[in-house]
């Protein structure tokens, strides 16, 4: 049952689309790398920053997310510096480049209900906000492409079904493609490897750790709660949803925590939830 007693039976939360927040930034980086740029490129990582024709300043989430005026892309990913990635997409890759990279990795443009899940109309895609939304299942699939060295496998639940005579009644399409460079396995592997190199330091920076005996990489993401009438001003410092998407060389997983609508997430003691 849901919080108001509604029947949740049959609801597949893993296939419902939500704002990905900063977990979208690896696709910003992928588009940037496809353009021939590198992890040592520098941007202004200070906060707040204003951009032409953008009505509101772009801000970083907390002091640890801000960077210097000469912030490398690698450090910006570790710190999750919004101003760097907003600048990167606005002035280099454009929103369409990010959407293309995300689709190449495995993000679908529509969910199973036919609803759009990857909006490309404005620069909010750079920080996973606005109308950009993806499903946890797609996120796990797309990050798996990084884990596989730039090889994308179609997402499937059942690989093969046979009848009592051993005949194949169904078999999933499991063809592999070079996600980020057509017919160039080496180039696709290089791009995915650079994304992994940028995401690996995110784990210790976020006070997380890899499974024992494994290398891992990943990215957190949040969507900030907007306080409603009657809520204290401190509610603006809470999240309405959080993400953690990560992978080892053999396993990719996405975790989303949230609810229907914009509701503040709090733990058992009332503390705000963060990834």
């Amino acid at each position: 049952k849901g919080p108001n007693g509604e029947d949740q039976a049959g609801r597949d939360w893993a296939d419902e689309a939500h704002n990905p927040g900063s977990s979208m930034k690896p696709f910003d980086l992928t588009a940037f790398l496809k353009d021939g740029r590198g992890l040592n490129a520098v941007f202004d990582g200070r906060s707040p920053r204003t951009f032409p024709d953008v009505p509101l300043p772009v801000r970083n989430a907390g002091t640890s997310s801000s960077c210097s005026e000469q912030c490398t892309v690698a450090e910006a990913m570790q710190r999750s510096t919004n101003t760097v990635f907003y600048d990167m997409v606005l002035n280099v890759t454009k929103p369409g480049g990010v959407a293309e990279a995300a689709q190449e990795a495995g993000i679908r443009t529509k969910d199973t209900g036919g609803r759009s899940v990857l909006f490309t109309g404005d620069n909010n895609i750079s920080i996973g906000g606005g109308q950009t939304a993806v499903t946890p299942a797609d996120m796990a699939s797309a990050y798996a492409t990084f884990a596989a060295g730039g090889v994308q496998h179609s997402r499937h639940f059942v690989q093969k079904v046979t009848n009592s005579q051993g005949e194949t009644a169904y078999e999933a399409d499991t063809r592999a493609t070079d996600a980020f460079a057509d017919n160039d396995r080496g180039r696709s592997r290089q791009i995915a490897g650079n994304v992994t190199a940028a995401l690996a330091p995110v784990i210790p920076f976020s006070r997380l750790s890899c499974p024992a005996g494994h290398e891992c990489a990943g990215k957190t993401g949040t969507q900030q709660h907007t306080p409603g009438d009657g809520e204290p001003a401190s509610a603006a410092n809470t999240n309405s949803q959080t993400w953690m998407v990560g992978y080892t060389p053999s396993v990719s997983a996405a975790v989303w925590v949230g609810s229907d609508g914009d509701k503040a997430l709090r733990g058992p003691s009332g503390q705000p939830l963060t990834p």
Side-chain angles (χ1 to χ4, degrees):
K1 295 289 185 179
N4 299 315
E6 66 271 22
D7 187 3
Q8 299 288 319
R11 187 168 184 178
D12 186 358
W13 288 92
D15 210 33
E16 292 197 13
H18 310 279
N19 288 134
S22 291
S23 63
M24 195 71 189
K25 289 172 182 172
F27 306 118
D28 301 349
L29 177 58
T30 300
F32 189 70
L33 295 169
K34 286 180 59 183
D35 197 50
R37 314 301 177 99
L39 297 179
N40 289 324
V42 296
F43 289 84
D44 185 348
R46 296 174 296 176
S47 177
R49 286 188 60 195
T50 57
F51 296 91
D53 301 320
V54 178
L56 296 174
V58 177
R59 301 178 183 275
N60 296 326
T63 55
S64 64
S65 294
S66 288
C67 198
S68 69
E69 189 176 1
Q70 294 291 308
C71 184
T72 67
V73 170
E75 184 175 358
M77 182 64 80
Q78 178 179 324
R79 292 181 175 275
S80 199
T81 308
N82 289 341
T83 53
V84 166
F85 288 95
Y86 196 93
D87 189 349
M88 176 189 295
V89 175
L90 183 69
N91 293 307
V92 181
T93 71
K94 308 303 179 184
V98 178
E100 179 181 73
Q103 290 172 43
E104 289 170 341
I107 301 292
R108 298 166 300 165
T109 58
K110 295 188 181 296
D111 64 15
T112 54
R115 295 164 294 190
S116 296
V117 297
L118 187 59
F119 179 76
T120 62
D122 62 47
N123 215 63
N124 281 317
I125 194 174
S126 63
I127 51 178
Q131 297 182 59
T132 302
V134 298
T135 71
D138 274 5
M139 272 298 201
S141 178
Y143 275 51
T145 300
F146 300 136
V151 177
Q152 199 273 327
H153 297 267
S154 299
R155 177 162 69 91
H156 59 277
F157 186 67
V158 176
Q159 181 169 337
K160 188 175 183 180
V161 176
T162 59
N163 60 24
S164 58
Q165 285 75 46
E167 299 169 330
T168 300
Y170 166 81
E171 188 166 9
D173 182 357
T174 58
R175 288 175 296 178
T177 59
D178 300 319
F180 310 123
D182 291 340
N183 300 315
D184 190 340
R185 180 63 55 86
R187 176 64 177 152
S188 191
R189 183 187 302 113
Q190 180 186 44
I191 290 170
N194 280 328
V195 173
T196 295
L199 293 180
V202 171
I203 303 300
F205 188 83
S206 302
R207 299 183 299 279
L208 301 170
S209 59
C210 297
H214 291 79
E215 296 179 331
C216 68
K219 188 71 188 75
T220 58
T222 60
Q223 185 68 23
Q224 193 170 24
H225 170 59
T226 302
D229 294 339
E231 287 190 273
S234 60
N237 297 321
T238 61
N239 295 313
S240 61
Q241 50 187 317
T242 68
W243 291 78
M244 180 63 211
V245 190
Y247 55 95
T248 69
S250 57
V251 176
S252 175
V255 177
W256 169 84
V257 177
S259 63
D260 286 325
D262 184 358
K263 301 173 184 177
L265 295 177
R266 297 189 181 276
S269 303
Q271 75 276 19
L273 289 185
T274 58

